[in-house]
Amino acid sequence: MTLAFMAIALTANAQEKTTIEVPQWVKNIKFSGYGMLQYQGQDPEGNATNSFNLRLARFILDGKIGDFDWRAQIQGTNVKGPGEPTVQLVDLYAEWRKYPEFKVRAGQFKRAFTFENPTNPITQGWYLYANVINALSGFGDRTGEKSSGGRDIGIQFSGDLFPNADGRRLLHYQVGVYNGEGVNSKDADNKKDIIGGIWVMPIKGVRIGAFGWTGTKGSLSTSFTDDNGDKQSMTITSARKNRYAISAEYDKDEYTFRAEYLHSQGWGSNLDLGDKADGWYAFGIVPVIKSKLHAKARYQTYRQAKDWATSKTMYEIGANYYFTKNLQVNFEYARVNDRSLADKHNYNFVDLELDFRF
């Protein structure tokens, strides 16, 4: 009889369905990423190169917990050169987004400087961000800061104000306080960078804005040429950075036009270049076949010492072809004028990329 009761109990338990409730924040997690494969060649006199390259791969987790959005992003790239890959955490932040007028983001994320800096490499449209963006917006920075993709650790306040009759907001502001040292780095001099931006959006697709940046780079390793012509080095405990940018953009219906001017005052890793630098770019990307083929042209100049003797100018043309929304091939050709070169200043440059998302 006892065995019979046990058999009945086991049968009843086996028929019960076990339900595990998955928390909503887990359901909200999204995994995505992309890869960028590259061939690049150039022919400056005496230093011609061509190579296949793994430009970068990114793996992204996005999620939402209540009124907070969060992101974690890891990047792998040959930033140091072929054979010397770098894998690093590039984004890790949470943002309180309950009100569009006032949002708070904390962690590691893009600096609040320029229109181009926040754009995703795979949607930015070119083989690389403009040279002036790389040098003065925290990528391969003029200060010698570790390549950080325009990011830093800190806290940012932002918002969109003054909705019109259609609900489109006409003014955006953002201001952030950062360590000033780039990704995955503590503050080296206990002084913070303050970066802010503001722009107006008078008509749909148009942005006109300005940005400011003041702060320091701690333990700046520098070099200089002494009176005897010998190369010397020194470390500046706290090197001042003062920068601004003026920006304009039209982005609508697959037409994108953008122009920015950046200026920097403050010493870089090479003291021989002085304490000022500037640069600008302007580009247009237009659809030839909607959602399939885009043509593009870009003009850019970066002046390492804010003079023409150290300028590098590129005249670029190219095209982007989309097999699907997740697979594209990009091509561009540039004629380069680099006046910092000792001999011939002009040379050719080509870049071909295969980019995919998942």
Side-chain angles (χ1 to χ4, degrees):
M1 181 67 91
T2 301
L3 291 174
F5 278 119
M6 291 178 61
I8 292 170
L10 290 172
T11 302
N13 287 335
Q15 291 175 345
E16 291 181 1
K17 293 183 179 180
T18 301
T19 301
I20 299 175
E21 185 66 30
V22 179
Q24 186 60 45
W25 71 268
V26 174
K27 295 179 182 179
N28 289 335
I29 295 176
K30 177 185 176 183
F31 174 70
S32 62
Y34 55 90
M36 306 180 79
L37 312 176
Q38 183 180 61
Y39 170 81
Q40 199 170 92
Q42 54 187 345
D43 63 354
E45 188 170 271
N47 191 31
T49 61
N50 71 87
S51 180
F52 293 105
N53 183 40
L54 304 179
R55 181 179 170 187
L56 62 80
R58 285 187 176 171
F59 304 93
I60 308 164
L61 287 175
D62 289 301
K64 185 176 181 63
I65 304 175
D67 295 325
F68 286 83
D69 288 355
W70 61 267
R71 165 169 285 198
Q73 182 173 200
I74 294 175
Q75 173 178 286
T77 178
N78 278 349
V79 66
K80 292 184 178 180
E84 295 184 87
T86 294
V87 177
Q88 62 182 353
L89 181 69
V90 289
D91 283 312
L92 183 62
Y93 65 82
E95 185 172 47
W96 184 66
R97 299 178 59 86
K98 185 172 183 178
Y99 303 106
E101 297 86 357
F102 182 74
K103 294 171 281 188
V104 184
R105 178 180 294 188
Q108 181 165 281
F109 49 89
K110 288 279 193 177
R111 289 170 163 121
F113 194 67
T114 76
F115 285 163
E116 179 143 321
N117 181 11
T119 58
N120 190 307
I122 203 169
T123 57
Q124 187 260 347
W126 299 92
Y127 83 95
L128 201 62
Y129 297 91
N131 292 325
V132 67
I133 298 294
N134 284 316
L136 302 181
S137 193
F139 287 76
D141 201 87
R142 185 174 189 266
T143 60
E145 177 185 291
K146 178 174 64 175
S147 179
S148 59
R151 294 169 171 84
D152 205 345
I153 304 173
I155 185 168
Q156 174 184 285
F157 307 94
S158 67
D160 296 284
L161 307 174
F162 310 127
N164 64 10
D166 297 325
R168 186 176 59 82
R169 295 177 182 266
L170 303 179
L171 185 141
H172 175 89
Y173 73 90
Q174 55 190 41
V175 59
V177 181
Y178 310 86
N179 282 341
E181 308 297 332
V183 293
N184 308 317
S185 299
K186 292 183 178 180
D187 199 327
D189 62 359
N190 296 318
K191 299 178 181 179
K192 300 297 182 282
D193 285 15
I194 300 174
I195 305 175
I198 187 168
W199 60 80
V200 295
M201 297 165 280
I203 60 176
K204 190 173 182 179
V206 172
R207 295 191 293 171
I208 302 171
F211 301 84
W213 177 347
T214 185
T216 60
K217 172 73 169 71
S219 299
L220 174 61
S221 299
T222 64
S223 64
F224 64 95
T225 304
D226 65 20
D227 294 338
N228 297 320
D230 298 322
K231 207 70 173 177
Q232 304 291 341
S233 61
M234 64 179 290
T235 298
I236 301 175
T237 303
S238 189
R240 172 60 57 183
K241 291 178 289 186
N242 291 310
R243 296 174 179 176
Y244 69 83
I246 301 170
S247 311
E249 179 187 75
Y250 175 81
D251 187 5
K252 187 173 180 288
D253 299 330
E254 299 185 30
Y255 288 85
T256 304
F257 301 92
R258 186 185 307 134
E260 298 192 274
Y261 172 81
L262 282 69
H263 182 277
S264 175
Q265 186 276 323
W267 297 104
S269 58
N270 184 351
L271 299 186
D272 293 338
L273 294 175
D275 69 341
K276 290 183 175 63
D278 72 348
W280 53 88
Y281 73 89
F283 75 70
I285 301 177
V286 300
V288 177
I289 303 174
K290 189 173 177 61
S291 302
K292 207 69 177 174
L293 177 65
H294 291 172
K296 59 186 181 180
R298 179 169 70 173
Y299 161 71
Q300 60 166 315
T301 294
Y302 173 57
R303 304 192 299 178
Q304 297 183 74
K306 201 184 175 182
D307 61 28
W308 288 105
T310 61
S311 68
K312 181 177 181 179
T313 299
M314 299 181 69
Y315 306 89
E316 304 162 75
I317 58 172
N320 301 332
Y321 182 80
Y322 301 86
F323 297 99
T324 71
K325 65 178 183 179
N326 292 327
L327 180 64
Q328 66 191 74
V329 61
N330 307 328
F331 169 77
E332 65 187 88
Y333 164 80
R335 184 65 173 169
V336 184
N337 178 265
D338 188 346
R339 300 192 187 183
S340 67
L341 297 178
D343 298 315
K344 292 186 177 180
H345 302 317
N346 298 315
Y347 61 91
N348 302 296
F349 171 90
V350 295
D351 182 270
L352 181 65
E353 290 190 17
L354 179 65
D355 301 339
F356 59 90
R357 308 168 188 258
F358 53 87

